[in-house]
Every structure is written in C-alpha cells, then in structure tokens.
Amino acid sequence: MADSPYEARMLIGGARPPVDEDRAIDVHSPLTGARIAVISDASAGQVHDAVGAAQAAYDETWRTTNGAERAQLMHRFADLLDEHATAIGELESRDNGKLVRETTSQARFAARNYRFFAGLADKLHGRTIPLDQWETFDYTTRESVGVAALITAWNSPMQLLANKLAPALAAGCTTVVKPSEVAPLSTVYIAELLEEAGFPPGVVNIVTGGPAAGEALVTDPRLGRISFTGSVPVGQQIARLAAQNLTPVTLELGGKSANIVFEDADLDRAVVGAVAGIFAAGGQTCIAGSRLLVHESIAQEIEQRVSRRAGEIVLGDPTDAATNLGPVASKAQQDRITAMIAAARESGARLASGGGTPRPPGLADGYFVEPTVFADVPPDSQLANEEVFGPVLAMTTFADEQEAIRIANGTRFGLAAGIWTQDLSRAHRVARELVCGTVWVNTYRQSAAQAPFGGVKLSGYGRERGVEAIDEYLRTKNVLIDLSDEVRDPFQIKT
Ligand code: NAD
C-alpha cells in the first residue's frame, strides 16, 4: 500500500482525473498513522473547471428538469447509499477513526435525508399575492440559485454532505463538493453511486484538496450559494471572501453546548445523556455536550457517576464491535486536545477522570485520547469557552435556574443545549431562554431529517435539514402583470 496507495480521484464534469504527483496529499489512518490513500490538492484551474462543469450542467440539463425527475434520481441514489452503507461506514471509519457502527448509521441517515428532500423537490411553489392595485396580478416563483459550493468537515463526511447536497439537488442546483482533506474517502466513493443513480455529468462535481482549493472555490463569481461546515476561523474567512462577490453563505460552525442537569432530573437518564453527549463520538461533533452544568445539590453524585462511566469506556479499533471509542482523527487533533487538557489543569480545573493519551494493546501508533472529565471548571476559563472537539467534558455547578441559563448562554457559541428535568414548566421556560439553534429535553444528540438544525452567534447562520433547509438553495422572484388595457403614463400619476 505504501508504494502504490489507493488513488481517490476527483469528479469533474463526469471525468475522474488521475492524482497529479506534484499535487498529491497523503491520507493517513488515525488508527495506525499509515498512509491509506492519496488525493489531489486541486489546482485553481481544476476548481475553475469543476464550477464550469456545474454551470454547464445547470444551463443545459438540470435547470429544466422537473421536481419529479430530480426526486426519482435522488431516491435511486438513496437506495444505493443504503446498499453501500456498510462499505461507506467502514471506509469512513478507517479515514476518521469514528466507530464503524456510527459511520454506517450516518450513511443510512444520509440516505433518509435524500429521501426527505426528494419529497420536497416537486413542491417548490410560489404564491399569488393580492396587491393594493386591483388591476395588477402578482405572483412569486421560487428558483434555484444555480451552482452551489458545498464544503464539509472531516468528522461526519457523509452526513454533513447530505445536509447540503440533498436540499441543493431538490432545489434544482448543480454543485461542487469539497470534502476535508483529512477524511475525503467516503465522499470520493459516492462518485460512482451518483453516476449509477443516473445524475447527468456535472450535476455533482467533487474536488479534493486543502485551504487553497477551498479558497479558489469560494471566490468563484459563478456561485449562487456557499454552504460550509467547519471551524469558526475558516467560516469567518469564507464569509469575508464570499463578500467580494456577495455570494450568500450558510455557515455551520463550532459549539460549546451546555447539557444542564436540574435537581429534579431522572439521574439515570441524565448520566447516560451526559456521557453519550460528549463521549459517543469522541467529542468530535459540533453538537458535543462539552459543558455539563449541574445543580450544586447533585453535583457530587453526578461527577462520580459520569467519571466512573467515562473510565469504563473501551478504547480501540473503531471497526471492532467491542470498542466504545476510536482514535481522534489526526495527529494534529490529538496534539490540540492534549494541549487544551494541559492548559485546563494549569488553570485550576480539577481533573476528575482521564486526561491521558493511552496506547491500547497493538495500537501504539493510534491517535488516542482518554475520555476526560474536569470538575469545578470556572465559567470564564478557556475550557468552558473554547471548543475542544475531543473527549473532554467541563463540569460546572449552578445554584438556581437563572444561573444555569446565564452560564449556558455565556459563551460566544450558540449551537445546541440539553435540559434534564421532570418539571414540564421548567423545561419550556428554560428552552425559551436558551440562545441556540437546538434544545433537547431529556435526550441529547437526536437528529431527524424533518428537524431544522443550525446555530446562532459564532455557531453560524442558516439552517440544514427540515423544510427550512431548501430555502438556502432557492431565491424568490416576484412577477407583476398589469391586467388592464390602460396606458399608465408615469407623468400623469394622481397624488
Ligand atoms: P476546518 O474549518 O479546518 O475545515 C473544514 C473544511 O474547510 C475542509 O474541507 C477544509 O479543507 C476547508 N477549508 C480550510 N480552509 C479553507 C479556506 N481558507 N477556504 C475554504 N475552505 C477551507 O474544520 P475541520 O477541522 O474539518 O472540522 C472541525 C470543525 O467543524 C469544528 O469546529 C466543528 O465544530 C465544525 N463542525 C460543525 C458542524 C455543524 O453542523 N455546525 C458539524 C461538524 C463539524
């Protein structure tokens, strides 16, 4: 494999150009550190060609397809994703280190999202609007924005792509997709499935590469929408670059979500929810419940129970059914997380569990981080305010509901929050006060194709999934028709 690595090729206008040796990027296994594939760092010219292919496909075929035709292709593609879910899950797991059962179920969830948006594709109608002027007939149409650039992060490539590609295709957009160079393989894999489903060449193009390829893409003036999932600094940079052409942007960025446990909660459920909220995906999820806010009267019990469960988590090969937690996705990510653990210790937070970088037997080169719990974390500390994107939980106590809300809203992020309580009024009251895009009550990390998802503040703007998501790929045109046979002389307007 080291001598002739698997070449994960781009898809540009139906062609699969070979990886240029001078522009090759190695893709590494987070489990062993070994090179498992090679991709191209797309040149500006290749990115330009991909947008050109998308524009041509839009003008020549896709723009005039009807919703039912688009839906049929999307359903076929969803069926193929389901058929290939195991293969995709295994590939993604080898690429980003997440548990194979999670990546496989994400591939199936992606299929569900294509089906959901296929159902919307033939229902994109405008309105007729009665005006003050009786003689004028007014209606709106909802038209696709044309070419959409879809840029994803490494943590959940198939799911993040479905959040964007499904509504974009349903709306009638053609697309240029750029997966993360850290975990591009599942996205490249679906190129063949798109072809098999029958999408015309150029409707979906896939370019691979790093920041330069991304910048070449987002500065292309032919784009009608950029949808980005990734970190805050890159999201901010994309918004700045997109401003040159005033290209609209959807930003799904980071989070520092609060999981709030009130004293009246069902503690068995709350403990499981807290542990799953941060450790289920190794904390490498934007919605990680990375802050656990606990009422002071139950803080000791929760800390003990959460720490004990964290200590029981089995680290290992993510494709092994006995494993609870795989390695983090890259060496850079492992280094970043361990640096944040060290800084938290220095800042006075109390380490309740974990904190190390273990080497499970036979996996000495894997990028592992122990599930880590810090208690007594001051709300103004780095650990309580910055995204770790790793298996590190920051516990903080509160005295009453108002303080819980204040701490929960006290970061610059606003992606999600969890509330654990058996008091119905409190659940609604607190949900209303939380400044974020998603609130879970007595559950955490649940997603559904129908439920809109997105952030506020530094967590970004725009919505994915749910009927709201399709609006990101449509624009409204208003048409006014004078039904009279009068000559309307602008110089004779009565006042
Ligand atoms: P990242 O910002 O480093 O990279 C994301 C993507 O942007 C990659 O495809 C990368 O190649 C590309 N990119 C990098 N620099 C670019 C530039 N200058 N111009 C254009 N494209 C550029 O993020 P990451 O490390 O891959 O992912 C982790 C981050 O993603 C975390 O902050 C996490 O919270 C966030 N995330 C958010 C959500 C959400 O839905 N809100 C979901 C998953 C991950």
Side-chain angles (χ1 to χ4, degrees), residues 151-156 160 163-164 178-182 209-218 228-235 237-238 241 251-255 284-287 333 387 389 415 453-455 459 464:
I151 301 177
T152 54
W154 49 260
N155 62 321
S156 301
L160 299 180
N163 289 349
K164 303 174 189 308
K178 199 202 82 61
S180 165
E181 64 279 29
V182 177
E215 293 204 1
L217 181 56
V218 299
F228 169 79
T229 297
S231 61
V232 174
V234 175
Q237 168 70 351
I238 287 176
L241 293 171
L251 295 175
E252 294 289 351
L253 309 178
Q284 297 177 109
T285 161
C286 54
I287 51 176
Q333 190 62 11
E387 188 180 43
F389 220 61
L415 195 56
F453 174 78
S459 294
E464 301 197 310

Side-chain angles (χ1 to χ4, degrees), residues 253-383:
L253 309 178
K256 193 76 203 180
S257 300
N259 219 345
I260 311 169
V261 186
F262 288 100
E263 63 278 21
D264 60 56
D266 174 335
L267 295 196
D268 291 342
R269 290 176 68 188
V271 166
V272 171
V275 170
I278 181 67
F279 299 125
Q284 297 177 109
T285 161
C286 54
I287 51 176
S290 52
R291 289 186 295 153
L292 186 61
L293 311 189
V294 184
H295 188 264
E296 57 194 15
S297 65
I298 52 170
Q300 206 178 1
E301 180 181 352
I302 294 281
E303 182 190 320
Q304 281 168 359
R305 292 177 66 176
V306 168
S307 299
R308 191 171 58 238
R309 290 193 75 119
E312 288 164 1
I313 289 172
V314 178
L315 279 79
D317 181 339
T319 61
D320 183 339
T323 297
N324 301 136
L325 186 62
V328 299
S330 64
K331 180 82 180 75
Q333 190 62 11
Q334 188 193 37
D335 291 345
R336 193 174 163 273
I337 297 168
T338 48
M340 285 187 83
I341 290 174
R345 284 176 122 153
E346 276 165 31
S347 77
R350 182 165 53 80
L351 185 66
S353 176
T357 49
R359 293 165 174 240
L363 297 169
D365 294 327
Y367 312 136
F368 289 93
V369 178
E370 217 173 359
T372 300
V373 179
F374 279 102
D376 304 333
V377 177
D380 58 355
S381 65
Q382 183 204 38
L383 188 64

Side-chain angles (χ1 to χ4, degrees), residues 20-299:
D20 185 342
E21 241 177 65
D22 300 337
R23 304 194 63 88
I25 299 179
D26 290 338
V27 180
H28 294 275
S29 158
L31 192 61
T32 62
R35 179 169 74 161
I36 52 172
V38 64
I39 56 167
S40 281
D41 193 6
S43 66
Q46 286 172 315
V47 172
H48 184 269
D49 290 349
V51 179
Q55 185 71 62
Y58 181 73
D59 293 339
E60 289 158 21
T61 57
W62 203 241
R63 196 176 72 82
T64 54
T65 53
N66 64 45
E69 290 165 330
R70 295 196 298 275
Q72 198 176 27
L73 297 179
M74 292 175 69
H75 277 295
R76 262 191 231 145
F77 179 57
D79 290 345
L80 288 167
L81 273 184
D82 265 335
E83 275 170 38
H84 290 247
T86 307
I88 292 171
E90 281 170 7
L91 189 61
E92 208 165 86
S93 174
R94 285 207 298 136
D95 211 4
N96 69 4
K98 279 182 132 175
L99 294 187
V100 75
R101 55 178 177 272
E102 170 152 8
T103 51
T104 303
S105 82
Q106 285 188 334
R108 293 194 198 288
F109 183 53
R112 174 69 185 98
N113 280 282
Y114 288 99
R115 293 196 181 97
F116 175 79
F117 284 101
L120 280 182
D122 61 351
K123 297 167 191 71
L124 306 176
H125 41 73
R127 294 185 295 148
T128 57
I129 305 175
L131 302 188
D132 291 347
Q133 299 86 346
W134 171 251
E135 294 286 0
T136 308
F137 176 57
D138 188 279
Y139 67 91
T140 61
T141 55
R142 295 169 82 207
E143 301 175 356
S144 77
V145 298
V147 179
L150 314 178
I151 301 177
T152 54
W154 49 260
N155 62 321
S156 301
M158 276 299 92
Q159 184 174 317
L160 299 180
L161 180 59
N163 289 349
K164 303 174 189 308
L165 186 56
L169 292 172
C173 291
T174 56
T175 59
V176 179
V177 172
K178 199 202 82 61
S180 165
E181 64 279 29
V182 177
L185 301 184
S186 55
T187 306
V188 170
Y189 181 95
I190 63 161
E192 277 164 34
L193 306 188
L194 289 161
E195 201 176 321
E196 195 179 332
F199 285 100
V203 170
V204 182
N205 303 276
I206 300 169
V207 294
T208 53
E215 293 204 1
L217 181 56
V218 299
T219 48
D220 194 296
R222 294 168 291 181
L223 301 179
R225 164 72 56 179
I226 297 162
S227 181
F228 169 79
T229 297
S231 61
V232 174
V234 175
Q236 289 168 324
Q237 168 70 351
I238 287 176
R240 275 190 292 271
L241 293 171
Q244 291 170 17
N245 297 309
L246 294 181
T247 308
V249 186
T250 304
L251 295 175
E252 294 289 351
L253 309 178
K256 193 76 203 180
S257 300
N259 219 345
I260 311 169
V261 186
F262 288 100
E263 63 278 21
D264 60 56
D266 174 335
L267 295 196
D268 291 342
R269 290 176 68 188
V271 166
V272 171
V275 170
I278 181 67
F279 299 125
Q284 297 177 109
T285 161
C286 54
I287 51 176
S290 52
R291 289 186 295 153
L292 186 61
L293 311 189
V294 184
H295 188 264
E296 57 194 15
S297 65
I298 52 170

